Amino acid sequence: MNLNEWYEQGMSIETYIQSMQTHKENLLHIYERFAINESADLEEVADRALRTIVITEDWCGDAMVNMPILMRISEKTNMKLSILQRDQNLELMDQYLTNGKSRSIPIFIFLDEQGNEFSKWGPRAEPVQQRVDELMNQLPDKQSPTFNDERKKAIQQLTAMYRENEQVWDEVFTSIMETLKKA
């Protein structure tokens, strides 16, 4: 299938949000609080008339923080979003593996008017990745009896950071916009 066909198979953002069961409240919390700075230059992006395929899953904390930012960008630039769940669309997901091996999400595939890939983004902004790496590097060895409990605590910390840290939101916005402007 080509990217246009994948795009057509996706669901609207409204349908996706209605179907959410895990991070709906957190995603909406961020969406309601994140505002794009009025000085942000979105005209160049709007002029490109892009559409976006979003590969995601409701349980993903990274999607929880990145999607509301993309939603705000899409509103300001009239960019249409088409949501595909990763686990039901592995054929597409496997074309966008992180580091060639990981099915990390979300992945945003930006399409031009002809349906060609303009650029892609995901799963994290680089400064956010650094924070995640720092936190995860503190975990004990996977063989440790405390690993699972410590990993759960780290995920809770990440979720809280994603939900409340406005600097993270700004870093995500900046990263997505850099991707959209450089391509």
Side-chain angles (χ1 to χ4, degrees), residues 1-11 53 82-84 88-93 95 109 111:
M1 265 196 298
N2 66 40
L3 290 174
N4 268 331
E5 292 169 320
W6 283 109
Y7 178 87
E8 293 302 324
Q9 286 193 9
M11 67 182 102
I53 297 170
S82 177
I83 315 303
L84 292 169
Q88 296 172 8
N89 296 282
L90 295 178
E91 182 183 341
L92 178 63
M93 178 70 245
Q95 296 175 45
I109 307 165
L111 308 179

Side-chain angles (χ1 to χ4, degrees), residues 76-92:
K76 295 280 188 180
T77 62
N78 295 313
M79 184 187 317
K80 303 287 186 241
L81 305 179
S82 177
I83 315 303
L84 292 169
Q85 293 175 298
R86 180 194 78 172
D87 295 344
Q88 296 172 8
N89 296 282
L90 295 178
E91 182 183 341
L92 178 63

Side-chain angles (χ1 to χ4, degrees), residues 38-165:
E38 291 301 319
S39 66
D41 180 16
L42 300 171
E43 189 174 328
E44 178 183 346
V45 175
D47 289 346
R48 290 189 167 146
L50 300 174
R51 295 174 292 145
T52 307
I53 297 170
V54 177
I55 306 173
T56 191
E57 286 287 346
D58 176 20
W59 47 258
C60 178
D62 290 301
M64 172 196 87
V65 68
N66 296 328
M67 291 206 36
I69 311 306
L70 179 66
M71 290 163 60
R72 289 293 185 198
I73 293 169
S74 74
E75 291 167 355
K76 295 280 188 180
T77 62
N78 295 313
M79 184 187 317
K80 303 287 186 241
L81 305 179
S82 177
I83 315 303
L84 292 169
Q85 293 175 298
R86 180 194 78 172
D87 295 344
Q88 296 172 8
N89 296 282
L90 295 178
E91 182 183 341
L92 178 63
M93 178 70 245
D94 288 348
Q95 296 175 45
Y96 291 92
L97 298 174
T98 300
N99 299 323
K101 61 183 178 181
S102 174
R103 291 178 173 160
S104 300
I105 51 175
I107 299 294
F108 304 154
I109 307 165
F110 301 102
L111 308 179
D112 65 19
E113 291 179 277
Q114 290 74 43
N116 299 309
E117 181 180 313
F118 175 78
S119 63
K120 71 177 178 69
W121 185 93
R124 293 186 181 115
E126 186 56 37
V128 176
Q129 182 65 52
Q130 291 171 5
R131 286 189 181 97
V132 170
D133 290 345
E134 287 172 16
L135 184 61
M136 294 304 180
N137 287 338
Q138 296 173 20
L139 292 177
D141 184 79
K142 288 184 180 181
Q143 308 309 318
S144 169
T146 62
F147 176 80
N148 286 335
D149 288 339
E150 293 300 316
R151 186 174 185 283
K152 285 179 187 173
K153 288 178 191 174
I155 297 297
Q156 290 171 342
Q157 286 179 288
L158 283 176
T159 300
M161 176 183 71
Y162 287 171
R163 180 181 159 95
E164 301 300 336
N165 188 329

